[in-house]
Amino acid sequence: MVPDDLRYTKKHEWIKVNGDQGTVGITDYAQGELGDIVFVELPTKGKKVEQMKPFATIEAVKAVSELYAPVSGEVLEVNSQLTDKPELINSDPYGEGWIIKLRIEDPSELENLLSPADYEKLIEEEEGH
Amino acid sequence: MCWIPISAEERREMLSSIGVESFVDLVSSIPPQFRLRKPLDLPPPLSEIEISRLMLRLSEENHDLAHHICFLGGGSYDHWVPAAVSSIIERSEYYTAYTPYQAEVSQGTLQAIYEYQSLICELTGMDVANASMYDGASATAEAALMSYSITGRETILVSEALNPAHFQVLTTYTSGLNLRVKRIPLKKGGTDWDKLAGMLDERVASVIIQNPNFLGVVENLNQVGELVHRVGALLVMVVDPISLGILKPPGDYGADIAVGEGQALGNPTCFGGPYLGFFACRKEFMRKLPGRLVGATVDSQGRRGFVLILQTREQHIRREKATSNICTNQALNALAATVFLTLLGRQGIRDLALLCLQKCHYLQRHLCEIDGFKLRYPSPFFKEFAVVPPLSAKEVIDFLAEQGIFVGPDLGRFGMGDGFLVATTEKRSKEEMDLLIENLKEIPSAKRRG
Amino acid sequence: MADKLIFELSGRGKVGYALPKPDVPPLFPEELLPPEVLREYPPQLPEVSEVEVVRHFVNLSQLNYHVDQGLYPLGSCTMKYNPKVGEELAKLPGFRDLHPYQPERTVQGALKLMYELEEMLCEITGMVRFTLQPAAGAQGELTSLLMIRAYHTKRGNPREKVIIPDSAHGTNPASTHLAGYRAVEVKSDPQGLVNLEELRRLMDKDVAALMLTNPNTLGLFESHIKEIADLVHQVGALLYMDGANMNALLGITRPGDLGFDAVHLNLHKTFSTPHGGGGPGSGPVGVNEKLVDFLPVPLVEKGEKGYKFDYDQPNSIGKMQGFYGNFGVMVKAYIYLRMLGAKGLREVSEGAIVNANYLMKGLKDYYYLPFDRFCLHEFVLSGSRQKAKGVKTLDIAKRLLDYGFHAPTVYFPLIVPEALMIEPTETESKESLDGFVEAMKKIAQEVEEDPELVRSAPHTTPVSRLDERKAAKDLDVRWKG
């Protein structure tokens, strides 16, 4: 269930690296915990985000969660489809439900992130909790 | 004790089932040094007959408005409360329920709130209204906070003719935050728009204007929306809901947030509370709205039903990031307002407003014919106006109170200059107004005699 | 039929309320006001007769569960029975029909009532003075925090942080933020109490106050209260009690004696004034000498010439309400206290504690009880066993509705997964408690045998499970004509 071409945060965001750009979303596990997502408060294009600082807010019916930037950088694009169809995050968290694309400022920050195997372990721990 | 339905024998059974000898074992977690050793020093218990007698006596130490004539205003008004309103809100299905957390067994309360929200929207011309705030004053303060949250700006401009109690609550509410609250001066009893224009800049979060204002004056607001929006600030209007039967609603003036004291809508004066604050805004600010909100949906069989929505704004989910700390609001008072407004209907609200307006103008005309009594501001007014008497306001108020007539409040008590307010509702008859006039005519001669 | 909106019953020209004919010259609005201030079109209020209005709202009322009907075990909400005599007497014109700006001479009975209510609340809590102004608990919290801020400011520094346990009500952090402070969480220890070690680490000169609910939201008394109070006071901070759970302590112990500097009470919980479907409440705040100068204005004083409002308090934080608070609610609380007296009041808390423990004992074999020791007025179960079978706490709550009970508070406190927070109050009979235990047992059994029955509950309520996702997406918040 955890795609092996991505890197992960402890707060359940993923990032797909493509050169100096990254696509960011939340994991399948995270969307399952939140339940039906009804609203996403997206950042504006051009905004600077910092590693592990909040960049967006995501709302389910009775839960709200901040999203943390896997790495620092500038927001290049936001998934404007989510404004009308936030449920894409539920139905396709690694695909159509992506949230932002950003320019990666410092590739070395990627090393602070979890590998697919480590992330899988994290989920197991949380589920066992 | 008649409100504890457990007999001594049952209690023994229960304690034994819990597995303890006596009650004290259950409170062993309370350190003994802190347990009270003697009973509280409270008055002895009373039976229902005794308390009824005592309360009747206590109530008779008050001069109630059922037996006195009330021209008092200043934010609370002696409007009629129709019997059907009281009859509905006295139903225990409403008053002994709590916040509708379990929607499936709370559809009565939820649908009534949805209807309340709809009625407030119709009345104010706004897109969305919440389920109520504590009162008009705290609603005004919350409107200032919401404008700060929306714009991220820290200056709030408030008309000097805002209800001074609202203003004091606003400054108290915001005293822990880095907000600058500035007053907009008046001209002829209305907010001075030229002065406002000079105060507006990109640091202003909102401009708060009351209409009709505290001095009774109907403000000329036609340009103000544009003026305020030009610098990206929000327009907050504080309105009398009864006046909206004939006066232009906040929505038509381009207001972003409309709030007000809802007491006049079917709630007795009750010595200042419980009342309700109504709170409405434009659609785009819905997620910044404080307080509860009800939305329509369907159940699993496709039937219409209602639930609390956007709870993610609220304190129980978003905690310190909530749009407000409010939890319990004034639901029963909002229900009274709902029943009141539905009884009136579209014609009734207009007729009611018109009666207030006609009576107030009749009274003002005759009152200001009395030698020495002047209308403080020659500006349009709705159901309330400021009078400057030939002697101190306090003397007039006290003299009339002796005759069983209440006027006021004294503007001096708020540092708002000479005179006092006089308000009329649909309840004041021509006879009562004529009696007030006759009494006022008496004053100077009475004083001379004194 | 109750399923129509009042707007959908509207018929042109109908009215529900007969206004008097004008007895003064019936001038048109245009003759009295400039045309540009007048409304161009009337508000689209429904047009219905009194009969239709009454039937509509009576039919709607039938869809509500309420305390007069049965057990309402919402934890930390204290849904107790509301004595009828309070409702009856609060309607006396001498209370109901008073204008807040009448001369003081004409409202002596009202002022006396407020003065005596304050005296009784001081005695019950061991505080020096009370403000009756706050309209609800959350407003009481804000009032207290603003006083605490004023206290520290007067000493030269408002300070920065307020410490709040992770088991606290959401209003605590929300009020903290509103008062300009940063909320800092202190974790609970394995016993469900404030973690003293962590608290010690968090305490420094930047801390303005600790907000503590006692008993806490697990229904447990903070036994280390002495140590906690000392830790707080050592750094010059103040100790604030969220009194939402005061129903456990009446006549047993007093916040003032425990070292609290301020406490808010909920008259609509502890002192049995009705909850009104979500208000009006009343959230008076009591303080000790440290904070007395900062109380909101006005206070009621007793003088030689009778009772009066005192606005002369130079250090007051100001005002929290347009007038003096929810007077109508105060009248009912006053009646409740005068009828109970000291002995009756203690019986209230004893009854609440016995009922809660009896219920806990009856349920703990069927639901996981994370903190297994005697509770005070409430306790928290976890639906974790049932969750493992694919049935959530929410489903259990909904199924309870089918058995004719209101559900407990669910998913709170946040530190217990799948929480069911249960507060029966003292006004439930043994029969009613036994009935609740029976229903919960049956549900536990259904989870084993027919989980779908529970997952799809409720089945017997006026509507079945509502689509909250649709509600959150469509945002239909008003009738549109």
Side-chain angles (χ1 to χ4, degrees), chain C residues 446-467:
Chain C
E446 287 167 359
V447 169
E448 301 290 330
E449 292 162 4
D450 187 4
E452 191 46 39
L453 180 68
V454 185
R455 275 198 293 266
S456 54
H459 305 283
T460 59
T461 47
V463 288
S464 62
R465 194 129 9 145
L466 291 153
D467 186 345

PDB file of all heavy atoms in Angstrom, chain C residues 446-467:
ATOM      1  N   GLU C 446     -24.648  -7.234  20.317  1.00  0.00           N
ATOM      2  CA  GLU C 446     -24.934  -7.038  18.885  1.00  0.00           C
ATOM      3  C   GLU C 446     -23.654  -6.845  18.090  1.00  0.00           C
ATOM      4  O   GLU C 446     -23.554  -7.290  16.940  1.00  0.00           O
ATOM      5  CB  GLU C 446     -25.841  -5.818  18.702  1.00  0.00           C
ATOM      6  CG  GLU C 446     -27.274  -6.060  19.148  1.00  0.00           C
ATOM      7  CD  GLU C 446     -28.103  -4.770  19.258  1.00  0.00           C
ATOM      8  OE1 GLU C 446     -27.542  -3.672  19.002  1.00  0.00           O
ATOM      9  OE2 GLU C 446     -29.284  -4.861  19.614  1.00  0.00           O
ATOM     10  N   VAL C 447     -22.686  -6.179  18.700  1.00  0.00           N
ATOM     11  CA  VAL C 447     -21.410  -5.972  18.015  1.00  0.00           C
ATOM     12  C   VAL C 447     -20.794  -7.325  17.669  1.00  0.00           C
ATOM     13  O   VAL C 447     -20.212  -7.511  16.603  1.00  0.00           O
ATOM     14  CB  VAL C 447     -20.452  -5.135  18.884  1.00  0.00           C
ATOM     15  CG1 VAL C 447     -19.049  -5.137  18.302  1.00  0.00           C
ATOM     16  CG2 VAL C 447     -20.972  -3.713  19.039  1.00  0.00           C
ATOM     17  N   GLU C 448     -20.965  -8.274  18.585  1.00  0.00           N
ATOM     18  CA  GLU C 448     -20.430  -9.618  18.340  1.00  0.00           C
ATOM     19  C   GLU C 448     -21.243 -10.356  17.274  1.00  0.00           C
ATOM     20  O   GLU C 448     -20.684 -10.999  16.394  1.00  0.00           O
ATOM     21  CB  GLU C 448     -20.491 -10.461  19.642  1.00  0.00           C
ATOM     22  CG  GLU C 448     -19.740  -9.892  20.821  1.00  0.00           C
ATOM     23  CD  GLU C 448     -18.231  -9.943  20.632  1.00  0.00           C
ATOM     24  OE1 GLU C 448     -17.746 -10.863  19.941  1.00  0.00           O
ATOM     25  OE2 GLU C 448     -17.551  -9.043  21.167  1.00  0.00           O
ATOM     26  N   GLU C 449     -22.584 -10.237  17.394  1.00  0.00           N
ATOM     27  CA  GLU C 449     -23.440 -11.126  16.605  1.00  0.00           C
ATOM     28  C   GLU C 449     -23.948 -10.521  15.298  1.00  0.00           C
ATOM     29  O   GLU C 449     -24.144 -11.215  14.318  1.00  0.00           O
ATOM     30  CB  GLU C 449     -24.646 -11.564  17.457  1.00  0.00           C
ATOM     31  CG  GLU C 449     -24.228 -12.470  18.594  1.00  0.00           C
ATOM     32  CD  GLU C 449     -25.289 -12.559  19.681  1.00  0.00           C
ATOM     33  OE1 GLU C 449     -26.386 -11.974  19.505  1.00  0.00           O
ATOM     34  OE2 GLU C 449     -25.003 -13.203  20.717  1.00  0.00           O
ATOM     35  N   ASP C 450     -24.191  -9.232  15.337  1.00  0.00           N
ATOM     36  CA  ASP C 450     -24.783  -8.594  14.152  1.00  0.00           C
ATOM     37  C   ASP C 450     -24.255  -7.167  14.028  1.00  0.00           C
ATOM     38  O   ASP C 450     -24.991  -6.203  14.184  1.00  0.00           O
ATOM     39  CB  ASP C 450     -26.315  -8.586  14.310  1.00  0.00           C
ATOM     40  CG  ASP C 450     -27.019  -8.096  13.060  1.00  0.00           C
ATOM     41  OD1 ASP C 450     -26.327  -7.826  12.044  1.00  0.00           O
ATOM     42  OD2 ASP C 450     -28.263  -7.972  13.083  1.00  0.00           O
ATOM     43  N   PRO C 451     -22.965  -7.027  13.770  1.00  0.00           N
ATOM     44  CA  PRO C 451     -22.355  -5.690  13.781  1.00  0.00           C
ATOM     45  C   PRO C 451     -23.022  -4.714  12.801  1.00  0.00           C
ATOM     46  O   PRO C 451     -23.082  -3.515  13.075  1.00  0.00           O
ATOM     47  CB  PRO C 451     -20.895  -5.950  13.413  1.00  0.00           C
ATOM     48  CG  PRO C 451     -20.833  -7.345  12.887  1.00  0.00           C
ATOM     49  CD  PRO C 451     -21.973  -8.082  13.473  1.00  0.00           C
ATOM     50  N   GLU C 452     -23.551  -5.229  11.721  1.00  0.00           N
ATOM     51  CA  GLU C 452     -24.158  -4.335  10.734  1.00  0.00           C
ATOM     52  C   GLU C 452     -25.359  -3.593  11.320  1.00  0.00           C
ATOM     53  O   GLU C 452     -25.621  -2.440  10.993  1.00  0.00           O
ATOM     54  CB  GLU C 452     -24.550  -5.134   9.483  1.00  0.00           C
ATOM     55  CG  GLU C 452     -24.944  -4.284   8.282  1.00  0.00           C
ATOM     56  CD  GLU C 452     -24.001  -3.125   7.994  1.00  0.00           C
ATOM     57  OE1 GLU C 452     -22.766  -3.307   8.143  1.00  0.00           O
ATOM     58  OE2 GLU C 452     -24.483  -2.033   7.647  1.00  0.00           O
ATOM     59  N   LEU C 453     -26.061  -4.284  12.227  1.00  0.00           N
ATOM     60  CA  LEU C 453     -27.206  -3.667  12.884  1.00  0.00           C
ATOM     61  C   LEU C 453     -26.777  -2.408  13.636  1.00  0.00           C
ATOM     62  O   LEU C 453     -27.478  -1.390  13.650  1.00  0.00           O
ATOM     63  CB  LEU C 453     -27.824  -4.675  13.867  1.00  0.00           C
ATOM     64  CG  LEU C 453     -29.043  -4.216  14.656  1.00  0.00           C
ATOM     65  CD1 LEU C 453     -30.248  -4.030  13.735  1.00  0.00           C
ATOM     66  CD2 LEU C 453     -29.382  -5.213  15.762  1.00  0.00           C
ATOM     67  N   VAL C 454     -25.608  -2.485  14.253  1.00  0.00           N
ATOM     68  CA  VAL C 454     -25.107  -1.342  15.008  1.00  0.00           C
ATOM     69  C   VAL C 454     -24.536  -0.284  14.058  1.00  0.00           C
ATOM     70  O   VAL C 454     -24.789   0.906  14.209  1.00  0.00           O
ATOM     71  CB  VAL C 454     -24.028  -1.789  16.023  1.00  0.00           C
ATOM     72  CG1 VAL C 454     -23.599  -0.631  16.903  1.00  0.00           C
ATOM     73  CG2 VAL C 454     -24.569  -2.926  16.891  1.00  0.00           C
ATOM     74  N   ARG C 455     -23.817  -0.754  13.067  1.00  0.00           N
ATOM     75  CA  ARG C 455     -23.194   0.185  12.123  1.00  0.00           C
ATOM     76  C   ARG C 455     -24.211   1.015  11.358  1.00  0.00           C
ATOM     77  O   ARG C 455     -23.932   2.138  10.965  1.00  0.00           O
ATOM     78  CB  ARG C 455     -22.321  -0.573  11.131  1.00  0.00           C
ATOM     79  CG  ARG C 455     -20.913  -0.839  11.642  1.00  0.00           C
ATOM     80  CD  ARG C 455     -19.980  -1.190  10.496  1.00  0.00           C
ATOM     81  NE  ARG C 455     -20.326  -2.472   9.883  1.00  0.00           N
ATOM     82  CZ  ARG C 455     -19.770  -3.630  10.236  1.00  0.00           C
ATOM     83  NH1 ARG C 455     -18.825  -3.655  11.151  1.00  0.00           N
ATOM     84  NH2 ARG C 455     -20.143  -4.752   9.659  1.00  0.00           N
ATOM     85  N   SER C 456     -25.411   0.454  11.154  1.00  0.00           N
ATOM     86  CA  SER C 456     -26.397   1.192  10.366  1.00  0.00           C
ATOM     87  C   SER C 456     -27.433   1.900  11.251  1.00  0.00           C
ATOM     88  O   SER C 456     -28.382   2.475  10.754  1.00  0.00           O
ATOM     89  CB  SER C 456     -27.100   0.241   9.402  1.00  0.00           C
ATOM     90  OG  SER C 456     -27.642  -0.855  10.137  1.00  0.00           O
ATOM     91  N   ALA C 457     -27.196   1.871  12.572  1.00  0.00           N
ATOM     92  CA  ALA C 457     -28.132   2.541  13.485  1.00  0.00           C
ATOM     93  C   ALA C 457     -27.999   4.063  13.303  1.00  0.00           C
ATOM     94  O   ALA C 457     -26.991   4.531  12.799  1.00  0.00           O
ATOM     95  CB  ALA C 457     -27.789   2.154  14.927  1.00  0.00           C
ATOM     96  N   PRO C 458     -29.003   4.799  13.729  1.00  0.00           N
ATOM     97  CA  PRO C 458     -30.241   4.377  14.383  1.00  0.00           C
ATOM     98  C   PRO C 458     -31.316   3.958  13.388  1.00  0.00           C
ATOM     99  O   PRO C 458     -31.305   4.387  12.243  1.00  0.00           O
ATOM    100  CB  PRO C 458     -30.670   5.653  15.114  1.00  0.00           C
ATOM    101  CG  PRO C 458     -30.160   6.770  14.260  1.00  0.00           C
ATOM    102  CD  PRO C 458     -28.884   6.274  13.654  1.00  0.00           C
ATOM    103  N   HIS C 459     -32.223   3.124  13.870  1.00  0.00           N
ATOM    104  CA  HIS C 459     -33.277   2.602  12.999  1.00  0.00           C
ATOM    105  C   HIS C 459     -34.659   3.112  13.370  1.00  0.00           C
ATOM    106  O   HIS C 459     -35.602   2.947  12.608  1.00  0.00           O
ATOM    107  CB  HIS C 459     -33.272   1.074  13.071  1.00  0.00           C
ATOM    108  CG  HIS C 459     -31.935   0.473  12.737  1.00  0.00           C
ATOM    109  ND1 HIS C 459     -31.471   0.372  11.451  1.00  0.00           N
ATOM    110  CD2 HIS C 459     -30.931   0.006  13.519  1.00  0.00           C
ATOM    111  CE1 HIS C 459     -30.253  -0.166  11.445  1.00  0.00           C
ATOM    112  NE2 HIS C 459     -29.897  -0.389  12.695  1.00  0.00           N
ATOM    113  N   THR C 460     -34.815   3.653  14.575  1.00  0.00           N
ATOM    114  CA  THR C 460     -36.164   3.995  15.046  1.00  0.00           C
ATOM    115  C   THR C 460     -36.365   5.493  15.264  1.00  0.00           C
ATOM    116  O   THR C 460     -37.415   5.903  15.739  1.00  0.00           O
ATOM    117  CB  THR C 460     -36.435   3.293  16.395  1.00  0.00           C
ATOM    118  OG1 THR C 460     -35.435   3.748  17.320  1.00  0.00           O
ATOM    119  CG2 THR C 460     -36.352   1.790  16.280  1.00  0.00           C
ATOM    120  N   THR C 461     -35.380   6.287  14.945  1.00  0.00           N
ATOM    121  CA  THR C 461     -35.465   7.730  15.200  1.00  0.00           C
ATOM    122  C   THR C 461     -36.199   8.427  14.048  1.00  0.00           C
ATOM    123  O   THR C 461     -36.379   7.824  12.990  1.00  0.00           O
ATOM    124  CB  THR C 461     -34.044   8.296  15.337  1.00  0.00           C
ATOM    125  OG1 THR C 461     -33.252   7.801  14.259  1.00  0.00           O
ATOM    126  CG2 THR C 461     -33.411   7.870  16.638  1.00  0.00           C
ATOM    127  N   PRO C 462     -36.597   9.693  14.250  1.00  0.00           N
ATOM    128  CA  PRO C 462     -37.362  10.388  13.200  1.00  0.00           C
ATOM    129  C   PRO C 462     -36.637  10.413  11.846  1.00  0.00           C
ATOM    130  O   PRO C 462     -37.270  10.365  10.805  1.00  0.00           O
ATOM    131  CB  PRO C 462     -37.503  11.807  13.770  1.00  0.00           C
ATOM    132  CG  PRO C 462     -37.425  11.641  15.247  1.00  0.00           C
ATOM    133  CD  PRO C 462     -36.504  10.490  15.488  1.00  0.00           C
ATOM    134  N   VAL C 463     -35.317  10.499  11.878  1.00  0.00           N
ATOM    135  CA  VAL C 463     -34.549  10.335  10.636  1.00  0.00           C
ATOM    136  C   VAL C 463     -33.471   9.292  10.922  1.00  0.00           C
ATOM    137  O   VAL C 463     -33.108   9.068  12.075  1.00  0.00           O
ATOM    138  CB  VAL C 463     -33.871  11.647  10.167  1.00  0.00           C
ATOM    139  CG1 VAL C 463     -34.881  12.640   9.636  1.00  0.00           C
ATOM    140  CG2 VAL C 463     -33.040  12.268  11.281  1.00  0.00           C
ATOM    141  N   SER C 464     -32.981   8.672   9.884  1.00  0.00           N
ATOM    142  CA  SER C 464     -31.883   7.720  10.071  1.00  0.00           C
ATOM    143  C   SER C 464     -30.563   8.479   9.957  1.00  0.00           C
ATOM    144  O   SER C 464     -30.563   9.712   9.885  1.00  0.00           O
ATOM    145  CB  SER C 464     -31.987   6.600   9.040  1.00  0.00           C
ATOM    146  OG  SER C 464     -31.873   7.136   7.740  1.00  0.00           O
ATOM    147  N   ARG C 465     -29.455   7.743   9.920  1.00  0.00           N
ATOM    148  CA  ARG C 465     -28.152   8.422   9.964  1.00  0.00           C
ATOM    149  C   ARG C 465     -28.042   9.460   8.837  1.00  0.00           C
ATOM    150  O   ARG C 465     -28.357   9.210   7.695  1.00  0.00           O
ATOM    151  CB  ARG C 465     -27.014   7.412   9.873  1.00  0.00           C
ATOM    152  CG  ARG C 465     -25.724   8.071  10.266  1.00  0.00           C
ATOM    153  CD  ARG C 465     -24.850   7.449  11.277  1.00  0.00           C
ATOM    154  NE  ARG C 465     -25.027   6.156  11.820  1.00  0.00           N
ATOM    155  CZ  ARG C 465     -23.973   5.400  12.147  1.00  0.00           C
ATOM    156  NH1 ARG C 465     -22.743   5.799  11.873  1.00  0.00           N
ATOM    157  NH2 ARG C 465     -24.163   4.258  12.755  1.00  0.00           N
ATOM    158  N   LEU C 466     -27.595  10.645   9.220  1.00  0.00           N
ATOM    159  CA  LEU C 466     -27.582  11.766   8.286  1.00  0.00           C
ATOM    160  C   LEU C 466     -26.248  11.853   7.560  1.00  0.00           C
ATOM    161  O   LEU C 466     -25.201  11.527   8.111  1.00  0.00           O
ATOM    162  CB  LEU C 466     -27.881  13.060   9.040  1.00  0.00           C
ATOM    163  CG  LEU C 466     -29.331  13.114   9.530  1.00  0.00           C
ATOM    164  CD1 LEU C 466     -29.472  13.992  10.756  1.00  0.00           C
ATOM    165  CD2 LEU C 466     -30.259  13.584   8.418  1.00  0.00           C
ATOM    166  N   ASP C 467     -26.305  12.307   6.340  1.00  0.00           N
ATOM    167  CA  ASP C 467     -25.116  12.390   5.503  1.00  0.00           C
ATOM    168  C   ASP C 467     -24.351  13.675   5.836  1.00  0.00           C
ATOM    169  O   ASP C 467     -24.633  14.740   5.294  1.00  0.00           O
ATOM    170  CB  ASP C 467     -25.550  12.367   4.032  1.00  0.00           C
ATOM    171  CG  ASP C 467     -24.354  12.291   3.097  1.00  0.00           C
ATOM    172  OD1 ASP C 467     -23.216  12.532   3.549  1.00  0.00           O
ATOM    173  OD2 ASP C 467     -24.573  11.993   1.909  1.00  0.00           O
TER     174      ASP C 467
END
